[in-house]
Amino acid sequence: MLVSWKWLQRYVPLNMTPEDLAQRLSLSGLNHEGSQAIDQDIAIDLEVTSNRGDCLGHIGVAREIAVLYDAPLSIPEARPAAEGPPVADQVSVENRFPEACSRYTARLIRGVKVQPSPDWLVEALRSVFWKKRRDGSLEEYQPINNVVDVTNYVLMECGQPLHAFDLAKMDGGGQIQVRPARRGETLEAIDHKRYELDPSMCVIADASQPIAIAGVMGGADSEVDESTRDVVIESAIFSPLSVRRTARRLKLHSPSSFRFERRVDPEGVDWASRRCCELILETAGGTLAEGSVDTAPHTPAPGAVTLRLSQLERILGIQIDRDEVVRILTRLGCEQVTDQPQQIAWNPPSWRHDLTREADLIEEVARIHGYDQIPEDAPIPVAPSSKRSFDTAVEQVRHLLTAAGISEAMTPSIVTDRLDAMLSPWTDRPALQTETAMLEGARRLRRSLIPSLLGSRAANWAAANRHADLFEIAHTYQPGARSSDLPDEQYSLAWVYGGSFAQSKGIVETLLGRLGVTLQMEVVGETLEGFVADQTVRLKLAEETLGFVGVVSDQLQKTLKLPEPVTAAELSLPVLLAHCQLVPQFQAVSPYPTVSRDLNFVIEESVRWSQLRNVVRSALGTELTDVRYQETYRDPEKDGQERKRVLLSIDLQRSDATLTGNEADQLVERIISRCEQQLNARLLDS
């Protein structure tokens, strides 16, 4: 942001050197980038952060100087003489796009005489509109005419963009529409380039066609020139998101879009309009119509922010006099709402949209009082922060997986169509896509972490790193049922592993034990594209899908040029963490002996070990302390086709007494009976 030394003097006395001013502004948050002598003036280049849109005009910078030096501030009243008929009888505004334009105002001046700008206006604009050429020489501002130059002057004066339309070039006799662009519409802007518009963009239109790209640039067909006699002055508020999206899509950036993207003063819209009309009447003559057309004349007041005086000392480490605090905030434009001994409530000014919290007010007091007034050894009490449960759990997950020899990876959230199409265990809905590729050839928001990890494993293999076992903890983006729904951003844990299916499943079971999950995990066979059919399972906890474990299919291995089998797993962290007990719980150890029994069941080939184990567990209560798989044996001649023998061991124990032989036999009979009823199992005699 370039500000002129001479220009600033119109609002605040500068009884200091330019060097002193530059240093003081830097210490208060407006970093000094450099200064340049322009004719008899000095242009000061200030770095304005994105939250300080109020300093993108000379009045905003002058307001800062007035507070820093406790100097008087003088702002023009902007009271143009309106002698024409009411503007509402001559101009109408219809806002069809309030999401992109919260307020639109219009004024009308008839009978202007467009001619070259006066010297004072040209001099002011040349002091701030210039840039250096490659050879070091300055490219000066080229004045346009008195009307257009006035709109640029007011822009640099207060930071509110304006635009002037030639009424005679607008179809419909002063009918203005704020609406989305229609598909296929184009506009030739005042830079004399034609831009193709789409319905996401907001345009200002007359009765038949767009005449400006809202918040970005006006159209050439309605621009003011020497033949113009009647002008419509636009002053509006356009949504920062809408302006930023449009400017980026069209690759068209302007001083107006720069300011709208950083928000403008909602109450300064009308002042800027009146100021512009006042200067046009002064430089171009004409008759101003009475009043203005305003689609939202009443702006909502910002909420009050309470400042506790004790917090100033706690955070800054120094005491600041109460009167000094009141002086600083009052001079910054804050309005005192309540005044109590230990706290004061303030209404922030309309131009300071960034003052929403107590910490913001403390920062304002600190930077105006002077950061250099805070000693380096100021005592500031610091309390250690506590970890979130999520961080504690994820830390344990990382420790376990790295202990298993799996390295953590970080892969992009945007993937190529090829990677996304490999597999998607969570959903079969099409992936969401970005409008512009974030990486070369990558536009899809990933629905699973596994394809990215498989791609990384393949890249490692190509680089001669054979054992690239990788895991990642990151978001996946599950599309909603409707295209307009926001995606479900699910935190997921996934890994690809050169070990067997049983090893990957064992990692899941160990993970559940480490995190204190006491629920029994249900394992259900699943058929998923990209995995081997009979070596893929869905894992459930309390009827919720925890995740998937499976062996990557041969076809996918060949596609990725992976010579060895790979298992992959992906878990939903929200489901996992919902059942965690991160604080270890005490469990008393029974002092009574354990009774162990081996049971050899003949069951259907389709029955999985997890099903058998769950049935055994459900048959007993706390007396069953462990169920262990031993082996599987097949004898078609004795047991029949599609049957198998599964040998398991159980441990029985009571916590209040020694388990007798008869009691143990009764418990075993309950297990056998339950397995016969639910799994059609048969116990082999020993």
Side-chain angles (χ1 to χ4, degrees):
M1 167 68 187
L2 290 171
V3 292
S4 158
W5 181 266
K6 286 186 176 180
W7 199 337
L8 285 172
Q9 288 180 318
R10 299 176 186 178
Y11 316 109
V12 62
L14 300 181
N15 301 319
M16 74 293 291
T17 64
E19 293 75 20
D20 178 64
L21 176 61
Q23 182 180 16
R24 192 72 184 273
L25 288 173
S26 293
L27 291 174
S28 68
L30 296 176
N31 190 41
H32 178 232
E33 295 287 302
S35 297
Q36 176 72 44
I38 304 292
D39 295 331
Q40 302 300 315
D41 199 357
I42 299 174
I44 303 173
D45 190 2
L46 300 175
E47 180 187 12
V48 179
T49 54
S50 58
N51 66 313
R52 293 301 307 273
D54 61 297
C55 287
L56 292 174
H58 282 75
I59 289 178
V61 177
R63 188 182 291 117
E64 291 286 301
I65 296 171
V67 180
L68 289 170
Y69 289 91
D70 199 16
L73 178 68
S74 176
I75 299 176
E77 293 186 0
R79 294 181 178 176
E83 300 175 349
V87 65
D89 297 339
Q90 306 171 71
V91 175
S92 64
V93 178
E94 181 182 5
N95 189 357
R96 300 181 185 175
F97 205 171
E99 302 85 18
C101 176
S102 58
R103 185 181 186 187
Y104 191 97
T105 70
R107 278 186 161 84
L108 174 64
I109 303 177
R110 289 189 179 273
V112 299
K113 183 178 181 182
V114 179
Q115 57 190 352
S117 299
D119 293 342
W120 69 265
L121 181 54
V122 175
E123 179 185 352
L125 294 176
R126 280 183 173 167
S127 67
V128 293
F129 282 113
W130 56 267
K131 58 183 178 180
K132 283 188 177 180
R133 300 187 180 96
R134 291 184 178 179
D135 60 2
S137 62
L138 298 182
E139 181 180 337
E140 293 185 343
Y141 174 81
Q142 298 301 318
I144 303 169
N145 56 56
N146 48 358
V147 173
V148 175
D149 288 344
V150 162
T151 62
N152 288 331
Y153 178 88
V154 177
L155 165 73
M156 297 305 298
E157 182 176 45
C158 65
Q160 169 66 47
L162 303 114
H163 189 70
F165 297 104
D166 186 334
L167 180 64
K169 298 177 182 178
M170 298 169 60
D171 292 342
Q175 295 181 27
I176 297 175
Q177 299 176 359
V178 184
R179 61 170 174 81
R182 301 187 180 105
R183 194 170 301 280
E185 279 187 326
T186 62
L187 173 72
E188 182 185 354
I190 57 176
D191 63 355
H192 300 292
K193 295 180 182 178
R194 186 161 290 278
Y195 297 92
E196 185 175 346
L197 311 176
D198 65 56
S200 70
M201 301 175 184
C202 180
V203 297
I204 312 303
D206 58 19
S208 61
Q209 63 184 354
I211 55 176
I213 304 170
V216 181
M217 192 170 286
D221 291 342
S222 60
E223 68 179 330
V224 173
D225 56 26
E226 291 77 6
S227 63
T228 301
R229 293 294 174 266
D230 305 324
V231 293
V232 176
I233 304 301
E234 167 196 284
S235 183
I237 301 176
F238 297 109
S239 159
L241 179 61
S242 173
V243 173
R244 185 181 302 117
R245 182 172 53 220
T246 300
R248 287 184 177 179
R249 187 166 298 175
L250 298 178
K251 298 180 181 179
L252 177 63
H253 300 275
S254 65
S256 294
S257 66
F258 186 82
R259 284 158 176 79
F260 280 124
E261 288 177 21
R262 287 152 182 81
R263 299 181 63 175
V264 297
D265 177 10
E267 293 186 8
V269 171
D270 187 63
W271 183 92
S273 177
R274 288 185 281 111
R275 177 65 168 161
C276 182
C277 292
E278 181 180 56
L279 294 178
I280 289 176
L281 293 175
E282 178 185 327
T283 60
T287 302
L288 174 63
E290 182 183 350
S292 70
V293 178
D294 194 339
T295 63
H298 304 292
T299 57
V305 181
T306 299
L307 173 63
R308 293 168 291 174
L309 300 177
S310 60
Q311 290 296 92
L312 276 165
E313 183 176 359
R314 186 186 73 81
I315 292 176
L316 301 180
I318 61 172
Q319 287 186 342
I320 301 179
D321 188 71
R322 177 192 179 95
D323 293 339
E324 175 67 2
V325 173
V326 172
R327 183 195 73 82
I328 290 172
L329 294 179
T330 303
R331 290 301 305 271
L332 284 171
C334 297
E335 180 184 354
Q336 202 168 334
V337 180
T338 63
D339 188 358
Q340 299 176 13
Q342 298 303 321
Q343 63 183 36
I344 307 172
W346 299 88
N347 273 339
S350 60
W351 59 83
R352 291 301 302 273
H353 62 84
D354 57 323
L355 302 184
T356 59
R357 307 172 300 165
E358 182 181 46
D360 299 328
L361 298 183
I362 293 174
E363 181 184 11
E364 291 301 295
V365 172
R367 71 181 187 84
I368 299 300
H369 182 70
Y371 291 125
D372 55 332
Q373 301 298 315
I374 303 175
E376 293 182 2
D377 58 349
I380 300 175
V382 178
S385 61
S386 58
K387 283 186 179 179
R388 298 178 301 167
S389 298
F390 175 85
D391 298 323
T392 302
V394 167
E395 188 177 77
Q396 294 191 31
V397 170
R398 287 192 171 99
H399 284 169
L400 189 142
L401 290 172
T402 51
I406 307 176
S407 302
E408 186 169 9
M410 293 180 65
T411 59
S413 299
I414 306 293
V415 296
T416 61
D417 295 357
R418 172 176 172 271
L419 269 180
D420 178 71
M422 285 181 180
L423 50 85
S424 174
W426 299 100
T427 181
D428 56 1
R429 296 192 183 110
L432 297 169
Q433 298 191 34
T434 59
E435 294 187 356
T436 345
M438 306 298 290
L439 299 171
E440 185 177 357
R443 294 180 56 190
R444 294 194 184 188
L445 292 175
R446 60 182 173 190
R447 299 172 292 172
S448 168
L449 302 178
I450 297 176
S452 300
L453 294 175
L454 287 173
S456 295
R457 184 178 177 89
N460 273 274
W461 172 262
N465 183 8
R466 293 183 57 186
H467 305 293
D469 297 330
L470 304 171
F471 78 91
E472 183 172 10
I473 300 171
H475 277 113
T476 57
Y477 304 89
Q478 310 305 326
R482 299 171 300 179
S483 58
S484 59
D485 290 344
L486 292 173
D488 177 17
E489 298 185 30
Q490 173 180 294
Y491 239 127
S492 298
L493 161 67
W495 63 84
V496 293
Y497 185 52
S500 65
F501 169 83
Q503 287 174 308
S504 271
K505 181 169 165 289
I507 291 174
V508 178
E509 292 171 343
T510 307
L511 189 61
L512 295 182
R514 179 69 61 84
L515 295 177
V517 178
T518 57
L519 294 176
Q520 290 301 314
M521 180 176 67
E522 183 181 355
V523 182
V524 183
E526 190 85 4
T527 302
L528 293 172
E529 187 177 352
F531 290 99
V532 177
D534 59 347
Q535 297 187 61
T536 306
V537 294
R538 179 191 294 266
L539 309 176
K540 289 187 173 183
L541 279 178
E543 300 303 319
E544 288 185 283
T545 296
L546 171 63
F548 305 86
V549 179
V551 178
V552 175
S553 67
D554 293 340
Q555 181 180 356
L556 189 51
Q557 277 183 236
K558 291 177 182 177
T559 302
L560 292 168
K561 299 180 181 179
L562 291 170
E564 297 176 353
V566 181
T567 60
E570 185 160 0
L571 307 180
S572 166
L573 281 179
V575 174
L576 176 62
L577 301 184
H579 303 288
C580 287
Q581 290 185 3
L582 299 176
V583 179
Q585 303 296 311
F586 171 77
Q587 291 184 341
V589 178
S590 174
Y592 301 102
T594 298
V595 177
S596 297
R597 297 287 176 88
D598 292 339
L599 301 176
N600 197 0
F601 285 107
V602 179
I603 56 177
E604 298 288 344
E605 186 68 49
S606 60
V607 177
R608 294 178 178 270
W609 159 248
S610 60
Q611 294 175 268
L612 178 58
R613 181 191 59 191
N614 291 341
V615 171
V616 172
R617 287 188 178 278
S618 67
L620 302 182
T622 58
E623 298 92 347
L624 180 65
T625 58
D626 194 18
V627 182
R628 298 183 301 280
Y629 168 82
Q630 298 294 346
E631 65 175 0
T632 299
Y633 176 74
R634 292 172 177 81
D635 190 344
E637 293 183 1
K638 293 183 179 180
D639 302 326
Q641 297 291 335
E642 299 299 322
R643 303 280 287 183
K644 62 183 177 183
R645 302 180 185 184
V646 177
L647 177 63
L648 58 89
S649 297
I650 60 172
D651 290 341
L652 305 173
Q653 187 181 40
R654 287 179 58 178
S655 60
D656 56 348
T658 300
L659 196 64
T660 66
N662 286 335
E663 290 174 334
D665 290 340
Q666 291 175 9
L667 294 173
V668 170
E669 284 300 323
R670 283 166 56 184
I671 292 174
I672 295 171
S673 174
R674 187 69 62 88
C675 291
E676 288 176 348
Q677 293 172 9
Q678 296 190 10
L679 299 176
N680 191 26
R682 175 172 60 87
L683 182 70
L684 285 175
D685 295 332
S686 55

